[in-house]
């Protein structure tokens, strides 16, 4: 049962985490439009490999913290600081997602699989995200760090990410569709991390 719960949590958390249009999913969609669906799929697989690695590292760190409950409160304080910094980054520093992908990137002759791994590695949000998710659900007794349940989460995170990227690849067909996203999606991501920051603050100071 723990394996199933871990898998479901891993899949849903990854799937929801990639919903807001950002560099990774928009890149997958644009590559699919310009170079064909096969290249978009290769790019997405590369992203998912990196996401699985990041999830595994984050869960190992979270498991270590879970074995030392005295550090959990400190973790929540650190997580609050991280999410506040991420919120400020997406609101005031990150580049406008409405900008096109640089021409050099689109014409790169490097394998799209490795392009996906590289861009996935540049996205560090999954690390604090998975630490926070796993510790939170473990507190409710819905998540375990034991094997093989931990690996179920890692695999599910890759599948969930891939599923959402494929939705972008499938439905973001025409170049004109890019105009539909008339808002800088960094604000949406920043809003999500702001909400998480508020919830974390209530748990710490409430």
């Amino acid at each position: 049962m723990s394996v199933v719960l871990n898998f479901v949590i891993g899949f849903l958390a990854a799937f929801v985490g990639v919903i807001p249009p950002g560099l990774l999913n928009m890149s997958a969609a644009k590559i699919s439009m310009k170079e064909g669906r096969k290249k978009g799929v290769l790019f997405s697989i590369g992203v998912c490999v990196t996401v699985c690695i990041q999830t595994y590292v984050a869960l190992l760190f979270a498991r270590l913290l879970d074995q030392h409950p005295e550090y959990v409160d400190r973790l929540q304080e650190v997580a609050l600081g991280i999410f506040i910094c991420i919120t400020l980054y997406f609101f005031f520093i990150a580049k406008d997602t409405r900008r096109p992908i640089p021409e050099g990137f689109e014409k790169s002759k490097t394998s799209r699989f490795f392009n996906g791994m590289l861009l996935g590695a540049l996205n560090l949000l999954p690390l604090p995200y998975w630490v926070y998710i796993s510790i939170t659900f473990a507190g409710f007794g819905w998540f375990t760090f034991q094997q093989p349940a931990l690996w179920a989460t890692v695999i599910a995170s890759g599948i969930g990410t891939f599923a959402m990227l494929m939705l972008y690849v499938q439905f973001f067909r025409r170049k004109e569709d890019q105009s539909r996203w008339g808002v800088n999606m960094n604000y949406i991501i920043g809003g999500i991390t702001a909400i998480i920051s508020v919830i974390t603050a209530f748990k710490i100071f409430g």
Side-chain angles (χ1 to χ4, degrees), residues 40-165:
V41 171
L42 283 175
F43 174 85
S44 300
I45 293 175
V47 170
C48 293
V49 169
T50 299
V51 167
C52 286
I53 295 173
Q54 291 173 325
T55 302
Y56 182 68
V57 171
L59 292 180
L60 288 181
F61 181 65
R63 182 173 65 181
L64 178 63
L65 291 171
D66 187 63
Q67 293 172 350
H68 300 278
E70 65 273 16
Y71 296 128
V72 173
D73 291 338
R74 181 68 62 181
L75 169 66
Q76 291 180 335
E77 295 175 2
V78 172
L80 175 60
I82 291 175
F83 281 111
I84 289 176
C85 291
I86 292 174
T87 300
L88 294 175
Y89 171 79
F90 279 110
F91 272 122
F92 303 110
I93 301 175
K95 293 183 179 180
D96 195 327
T97 57
R98 292 168 293 185
R99 297 179 181 179
I101 299 175
E103 291 298 322
F105 172 77
E106 292 187 352
K107 296 180 180 179
S108 172
K109 295 182 180 179
T110 307
S111 168
R112 285 306 181 195
F113 174 81
F114 293 109
N115 282 154
M117 290 188 66
L118 175 60
L119 281 190
L122 295 177
N123 177 30
L124 299 179
L125 185 59
L127 295 173
Y129 178 74
W130 280 107
V131 171
Y132 182 82
I133 290 293
S134 59
I135 289 291
T136 299
F137 280 100
F140 290 113
W142 299 344
F143 190 92
T144 177
F145 295 99
Q146 301 301 316
Q147 303 289 4
L150 187 145
W151 279 108
T153 308
V154 172
I155 295 172
S157 71
I159 296 175
T161 300
F162 185 77
M164 178 51 66
L165 291 179

Side-chain angles (χ1 to χ4, degrees), residues 166-201:
M166 286 301 95
L167 287 179
Y168 273 86
V169 168
Q170 176 68 26
F171 295 108
F172 201 94
R173 293 286 185 85
R174 302 185 304 276
K175 188 172 183 178
E176 308 87 67
D177 289 340
Q178 296 177 23
S179 60
R180 294 181 182 178
W181 308 107
V183 62
N184 183 359
M185 301 314 299
N186 286 326
Y187 294 152
I188 294 180
I189 301 174
I192 293 173
T193 56
I195 293 173
I196 295 176
S197 299
V198 171
I199 294 174
T200 305

